[in-house]
Amino acid sequence: MMYQLKDFSDGQCSAEIIDKADLTVRIRGNSYSDLFKAASIKEAWDYSQRDQAPRNSTLEILCLISQRSDRRFAPNESFDLKIVSDFINRMHFSKVRIFHPHSAVSLALINNSETIDHLPYVAKAYLDSGRPLLISPDAGAYKELHRIAQQLQADLLPANKVRVNGQPEILLQGELLNRNCLIVDDIADGGRTFMALAEKLKSLGAPKVFLYVSHAMFHHGLDAIKPHIDGIYCTNSYRDWDDPLIKQYAMI
Ligand SMILES: O=P(O)(O)OC[C@H]1O[C@H](OP(=O)(O)OP(=O)(O)O)[C@H](O)[C@@H]1O
């Protein structure tokens, strides 16, 4: 560890640099507090470098807060991803690596940014679940999953999601042929998208439906999703889970 963090009882956070080498800071990044911690570390590291030739600094963000707010949804609402991106840009890391961002807008707004690929985790889930048919749940997920399906030499069936009064409705583009399915997406928030899709896939003959999400939030818990999904694969980019339904790959 190149640095250590101290938390004060009033909520303040402070950083101390232990090693003046190149800096890598890996955070979940799913809270404003995490971003402030990264800022404290970078400020202390910059000062530690004042008499040296420039070194490299990398910020790795596993679950970027406000990544879904990649546009101004209404003229009287804040553009939250822009605020977060401006904050990150002011830290001046030489590289910012973001794990499976919701859209390319994060990469466009954050300077010197690149993606941490989720392919290795999808590959593990794909093999563990017995090479099922991959399902992309919506148009946004299709392009990424098409790339991954090609790399894995896996079959891919696109679904499309339209929200009607907030409820997802599903259209499938192809035949299931009684195969098990692995839905692949970036984020599970409440999980309704995947319940509705799994229900549809099972009604069309899928014996088992598995789900891979990089960022497993499940803000309403797992009880509602359990009758629909036979297994969930995810990373711990957002939080740690301890549930028999979930197989989790540790990143932090
Ligand atoms: O678990 P749930 O609550 O069902 O939400 C999960 C879905 O929401 C996100 O897409 P979103 O609808 O935000 O995509 P958009 O950018 O196309 O609006 C995410 O990519 C999932 O597809």
Side-chain angles (χ1 to χ4, degrees), residues 29-44:
N30 59 359
S31 67
Y32 294 112
S33 150
D34 264 11
L35 295 177
F36 264 87
K37 284 177 183 164
S40 298
I41 295 161
K42 184 61 168 44
E43 197 278 339

Side-chain angles (χ1 to χ4, degrees), residues 12 16 30-31 81 87 105 118 149 185-186 203 220 234 241:
Q12 181 190 335
E16 181 187 342
N30 59 359
S31 67
L81 180 56
F87 185 88
V105 178
H118 57 294
D185 208 351
D186 58 340
S203 77
H220 305 310
C234 62
W241 282 96

Side-chain angles (χ1 to χ4, degrees), residues 223-244:
D223 289 350
I225 205 167
K226 278 185 176 169
H228 305 280
I229 300 276
D230 295 278
I232 296 173
Y233 298 91
C234 62
T235 74
N236 69 343
S237 67
Y238 182 75
R239 56 162 280 187
D240 292 322
W241 282 96
D242 182 13
D243 188 286

Side-chain angles (χ1 to χ4, degrees), residues 132-146:
L133 183 60
L134 299 182
I135 309 287
S136 59
D138 57 25
Y142 174 74
K143 194 174 157 209
E144 269 298 288
L145 192 56
H146 183 258

Side-chain angles (χ1 to χ4, degrees), residues 171-220:
L171 308 167
L172 280 171
Q173 300 168 26
E175 298 291 320
L176 281 187
L177 305 172
N178 298 316
R179 291 183 63 186
N180 290 338
C181 297
L182 174 64
I183 303 166
V184 178
D185 208 351
D186 58 340
I187 295 170
D189 183 348
R192 276 192 305 187
T193 304
F194 311 112
M195 285 187 256
L197 179 51
E199 209 173 303
K200 179 88 175 183
L201 293 168
K202 287 197 170 169
S203 77
L204 293 172
K208 287 190 173 177
V209 176
F210 302 98
L211 170 67
Y212 168 89
V213 283
S214 292
H215 313 298
M217 298 174 178
F218 296 108
H219 286 130
H220 305 310

Side-chain angles (χ1 to χ4, degrees), residues 144-156:
E144 269 298 288
L145 192 56
H146 183 258
R147 173 183 70 84
I148 285 176
Q150 282 189 318
Q151 301 242 14
L152 297 178
Q153 298 184 312
D155 296 325
L156 166 62

